[in-house]
Every structure is written in structure tokens, then in C-alpha cells.
Amino acid sequence: LLMTLDRRRKMLAYLRRVNYSTFQNTCTQLGIQYSPPQPYTRRVTRRWLLKKALCIKVFQEKQKLKAAGRLKQRREWQARARAAREQQEKQAQEGTPV
């Protein structure tokens, strides 16, 4: 009986994906109210929690390292932009066209 019910459930799921109107007609003729299966939920274990915490910690540390690199790069860009601006101002004061 359980095997038959499981086979029927699989066939209805396939029919629902492939041809929804036929699926609806079949359900009404059989008097079935189809409910889709529950989404997969991970069982929370201590090992899984520790692994997740470690992954989060590694991600945060990597973000900190990236932030330091981005800050250094931003300062270099600002220094270059400042030097270029000063050079343009110097040229404008001398009267040399830019």
C-alpha cells in the first residue's frame, strides 16, 4: 500500500510539472487535494553549528583583509588624484594651457 501511494505521489508530481491542466483534472476526478512536499530542512546538529560558525568567522576575517587592501588602494588613488590636481593648479598659475 505504501509503495503504491509513493508511486502515485511521484506520478502526480511529474504530471504537475509537465501538464498542469491534466494534473488538475486528474485530482478533481480522483477527489485528491494535492499538497507539494515540504522543502528540505537541514537538521541542526552541534557539528553543523560549529562548521557554520567557523565559515562565518573565516568569511569575516577575509572581508577584513580585503577592506585593508581596498583602503590602501583608495589612499593611493586619492594621492594620485591630489598630485594631478596640484599639477593642474600649478600649470594654471604659470599660465600654461592645460
Side-chain angles (χ1 to χ4, degrees), residues 54-72:
L54 176 67
C55 289
I56 290 171
K57 188 75 170 174
V58 168
F59 176 76
Q60 289 172 345
E61 291 297 319
K62 189 163 183 166
Q63 290 298 99
K64 286 179 188 176
L65 292 174
K66 282 184 178 180
R70 285 192 302 261
L71 181 63
K72 182 179 176 184

Side-chain angles (χ1 to χ4, degrees), residues 10 14 21-23 30-31 37 41-42 46 68 73-74 87:
K10 287 179 183 178
Y14 171 75
S21 61
T22 307
F23 166 76
L30 295 176
T41 55
R42 176 181 271 290
R46 193 176 316 158
Q73 194 174 31
R74 187 180 317 129
Q87 187 177 11

Side-chain angles (χ1 to χ4, degrees), residues 31-55:
I32 298 172
Q33 184 175 357
Y34 181 81
S35 59
Q38 295 293 321
Y40 173 77
T41 55
R42 176 181 271 290
R43 193 171 139 220
V44 178
T45 61
R46 193 176 316 158
R47 179 179 178 196
W48 181 79
L49 285 174
L50 290 172
K51 187 175 180 180
K52 184 176 179 180
L54 176 67
C55 289

